[in-house]
Amino acid sequence: MTTLNPRPPYTQDELRQLYPSDLKLQFVQVLLRHGERSPVSARFANAGLPAFWPYCNAVRHMRNAVLDTSFSSPQFTTLEWKRRLEAFGPGDEPVIASGPKGELDAICDMGMLTDKGRETTFHLGTRLRKLYVDQLGFLPPAISDADSLYLRATPIPRALESLQETFLGLYPAHTRAPNFPPPTILTRSAADETLFPNDSNCRRFAALSRAFAQRAADRWNDTDEMAYLTKLYGKWMPEGYPRVAVDGKPRLSGIMDTVNSTLAHGPETRLPKEFYDKKGRDILEKIGVEEWFAGYKESKEYRALGIGGLMGDVVSRMVGSAERSTADGEYEVARDLQRGDIKAGKGATPIRFGLSGCHDTTLAAVLASMGAFDTDKWPPYTSHIAIEMFRKADQPPPATTKPSVPPSEAPSAPKSTGWFGGLASLLGGSSAGAQPGLPPPGIGRKRSEELTEDEKSKLDGYYVRMRYNDAVMKVPGCKPQGKHLEGDDSFCTLEAFKEIVDKFVPQDWRRECRSNIKAPAFPANPEPAGY
């Protein structure tokens, strides 16, 4: 599968099963793969595939902030422009890149989010709205600002743009106040990025991933399955590389990338029919999943350096939300939020919902690290994981977001606490006790074995569940009695979930990335994921 075919909205019977009445949804984090894109590299020109695709109309409507000093006082304004791509011609002369029918505008760069990718991620946002706003009443139907949302994306444009499209589907223009301020979207420098497995900036992880990739090559290159792929694609392989191989040219994963990208788009950018042979595509995905994701299932170090930082952040936010609900004295229920008749909460606006724009390697890494990726299918475009935290109905409810108000009645004055205060509160501190550049107080990043009994008690009555493309995923370490909701082992206790994640959260990611570069890549004994 290359494009996700989403299921219909949950029925009322399904909702009653998925969201039991004795649990109250408190906090949700959604990790989403970007939408459909062009291939990250131009391949198979000899099979008639054009290098440049005319599916990116956004480049006709580019806008950038520019500083205009012609005024008496310099002002920022907006420069509108459209982009065309320039490329090498036959004799290295510059030429304007064109599409398969000579198109000059709307040309996609390599790995660029296409018009279809924008459409499908917008529709993901509408599906999230249907569930969390319309059906569950967890989020308000209209908002005056985005202070209750945690928005983050990787520095790769297709991830940021997909996040923006999803936000737009979740809260379209008519649900936002006329004076709605620009939402805050967090990004990191490439050197600090943990929203995807960062082998470019983590030398030890790069060494591990190369070792597991080589193991896959050794296992598969001389098999009947690879011979079948060579029979399908061999005549279009580059000169000097007639055989398809895990480490061939292009790599097996590169072939899969081009097949999936072309299959998601129009007939002008299709490969010969042999590339879409079902058996061949199944083999591509099976070997690709092993090459890229087996390490998370087998090695704690692989999990730690590849995705441990992100999962540590995820758990910190959930624990911070639980801590806040036990400490804050002003409580309301989500139903009141939708009626719009609640009082403004004390302090900063608590964050209830997170959206993170990331990649296929993020989603599969998270699931595999939690022992919940028992498949040989690659995550389709616009796949997503929803990590939901619940509290028992008899637990004190948390402080809620600001009341839902019609956009026309939204106040114009911003809250003094601001967005940073809400994030600090979510992570277990208060806006007054946290300072930019310093970690907020709280137990979110404190390892489970170091928690006092009083600190552990703050996690009592809270449960965590993961859904992947609307299917419930189970974590094996949560199956024993006492580690899940009675009668349903898809709901981990927050304490058990944190214990599992803490085992592979790095203490100092940068230092560990520089350490043990030449140490053995494979653990001496199996280190199963999800326990």
Side-chain angles (χ1 to χ4, degrees):
M1 188 192 306
T2 178
T3 291
L4 179 66
N5 183 22
R7 55 151 291 153
Y10 294 123
T11 65
Q12 288 302 311
D13 286 341
E14 289 172 323
L15 284 172
R16 281 191 287 270
Q17 291 290 324
L18 286 168
Y19 296 91
S21 59
D22 60 338
L23 293 180
K24 299 297 182 183
L25 189 60
Q26 176 164 327
F27 185 68
V28 179
Q29 299 178 80
V30 175
L31 308 174
L32 63 104
R33 186 192 178 189
H34 57 77
E36 288 79 353
R37 58 162 171 75
S38 56
V40 297
S41 296
R43 308 181 185 98
F44 297 115
N46 58 355
L49 184 65
F52 299 105
W53 295 12
Y55 303 139
C56 295
N57 274 288
V59 301
R60 300 175 185 261
H61 309 283
M62 307 294 279
R63 292 186 178 187
N64 285 93
V66 292
L67 182 64
D68 189 341
T69 62
S70 63
F71 297 93
S72 57
S73 179
Q75 299 179 16
F76 273 101
T77 184
T78 301
L79 175 66
E80 299 186 18
W81 59 290
K82 72 175 183 179
R83 189 268 286 148
R84 284 183 174 178
L85 279 181
E86 190 173 80
F88 278 119
D92 280 4
E93 74 279 10
V95 297
I96 300 298
S98 59
K101 295 182 178 179
E103 301 95 336
L104 299 178
D105 294 315
I107 298 300
C108 305
D109 205 345
M110 297 297 111
M112 191 171 187
L113 189 71
T114 60
D115 298 337
K116 182 172 184 180
R118 292 176 179 277
E119 179 182 350
T120 58
T121 46
F122 178 87
H123 288 160
L124 171 61
T126 64
R127 298 200 305 275
L128 294 174
R129 181 177 178 85
K130 176 68 175 180
L131 176 62
Y132 292 113
V133 175
D134 299 339
Q135 293 183 307
L136 297 177
F138 173 67
L139 293 176
I143 54 176
S144 57
D145 58 45
D147 285 357
S148 63
L149 305 178
Y150 175 87
L151 307 175
R152 181 180 161 198
T154 73
I156 299 176
R158 60 180 176 267
L160 174 61
E161 293 160 356
S162 294
L163 170 67
Q164 293 166 340
E165 292 283 350
T166 304
F167 170 77
L168 192 62
L170 178 64
Y171 281 111
H174 71 276
T175 69
R176 288 177 269 132
N179 56 351
F180 187 86
T184 298
I185 299 178
L186 295 170
T187 61
R188 294 189 182 186
S189 69
D192 295 334
E193 187 55 79
T194 58
L195 259 182
F196 57 70
N198 195 341
D199 58 353
S200 296
N201 291 281
C202 183
R203 293 178 60 202
R204 176 57 179 167
F205 183 72
L208 295 175
S209 59
R210 284 195 300 269
F212 275 88
Q214 186 58 53
R215 188 186 71 174
D218 295 341
R219 285 181 175 179
W220 290 101
N221 280 354
D222 295 321
T223 61
D224 292 342
E225 289 88 345
M226 201 66 73
Y228 184 80
L229 296 182
T230 297
K231 182 180 178 181
L232 286 176
Y233 315 142
K235 63 182 176 181
W236 291 292
M237 294 294 285
E239 185 177 351
Y241 297 89
R243 297 177 64 239
V244 177
V246 171
D247 52 356
K249 186 177 180 179
R251 294 185 67 88
L252 188 74
S253 57
I255 297 175
M256 180 173 63
D257 170 59
T258 299
V259 169
N260 286 343
S261 298
T262 57
L263 194 58
H265 293 93
E268 296 86 0
T269 52
R270 286 289 175 90
L271 291 160
K273 61 182 175 56
E274 290 88 341
F275 283 90
Y276 307 113
D277 175 85
K278 183 181 184 306
K279 179 179 176 181
R281 291 184 59 223
D282 287 345
I283 294 171
L284 282 176
E285 292 200 44
K286 178 181 179 179
I287 300 175
V289 165
E290 179 178 323
E291 177 192 358
W292 284 76
F293 308 128
Y296 298 102
K297 301 178 180 181
E298 302 176 26
S299 166
K300 183 174 72 172
E301 185 183 22
Y302 206 101
R303 297 191 282 272
L305 298 182
I307 210 69
L310 169 60
M311 289 304 293
D313 293 343
V314 166
V315 169
S316 292
R317 288 191 283 274
M318 291 191 294
V319 171
S321 180
E323 283 190 278
R324 179 181 173 88
S325 70
T326 61
D328 199 301
E330 185 169 339
Y331 303 123
E332 309 292 346
V333 295
R335 193 178 299 109
D336 293 332
L337 190 66
Q338 195 158 14
R339 289 204 304 259
D341 59 358
I342 69 172
K343 298 177 292 182
K346 295 187 296 186
T349 302
I351 294 173
R352 298 167 57 83
F353 191 85
L355 282 175
S356 295
C358 43
H359 306 268
D360 45 8
T361 53
T362 310
L363 271 57
V366 167
L367 293 172
S369 294
M370 298 303 295
F373 192 61
D374 188 20
T375 179
D376 55 10
K377 296 300 180 183
W378 199 269
Y381 294 118
T382 323
S383 291
H384 65 286
I385 300 172
I387 304 176
E388 302 170 317
M389 188 180 81
F390 301 78
R391 57 179 172 81
K392 290 287 286 185
D394 56 2
Q395 287 284 111
T400 62
T401 56
K402 296 190 296 295
S404 165
V405 293
S408 60
E409 300 175 17
S412 58
K415 294 184 69 175
S416 60
T417 52
W419 186 91
F420 175 78
L423 179 59
S425 296
L426 174 63
L427 293 176
S430 67
S431 57
Q435 299 179 35
L438 294 176
I443 62 174
R445 280 285 183 166
K446 192 173 181 180
R447 300 188 78 82
S448 293
E449 62 269 21
E450 299 172 357
L451 296 178
T452 66
E453 291 304 315
D454 181 62
E455 289 170 333
K456 288 181 181 179
S457 69
K458 296 178 180 180
L459 310 182
D460 291 344
Y462 291 91
Y463 298 89
V464 181
R465 180 181 65 190
M466 297 196 304
R467 291 184 302 108
Y468 171 54
N469 292 338
D470 296 316
V472 172
M473 311 304 288
K474 294 186 178 182
V475 178
C478 297
K479 291 183 178 180
Q481 192 65 30
K483 294 184 179 293
H484 62 262
L485 179 70
E486 186 174 355
D488 192 340
D489 60 5
S490 68
F491 290 92
C492 298
T493 65
L494 177 57
E495 181 178 0
F497 196 89
K498 177 174 167 55
E499 286 177 354
I500 293 168
V501 171
D502 280 352
K503 291 175 183 177
F504 63 88
V505 173
Q507 295 293 287
D508 187 334
W509 181 73
R510 291 189 186 89
R511 180 185 59 78
E512 293 175 38
C513 283
R514 297 191 299 266
S515 303
N516 304 318
I517 303 300
K518 296 183 179 181
F522 304 102
N525 298 301
E527 298 170 337
Y531 294 93

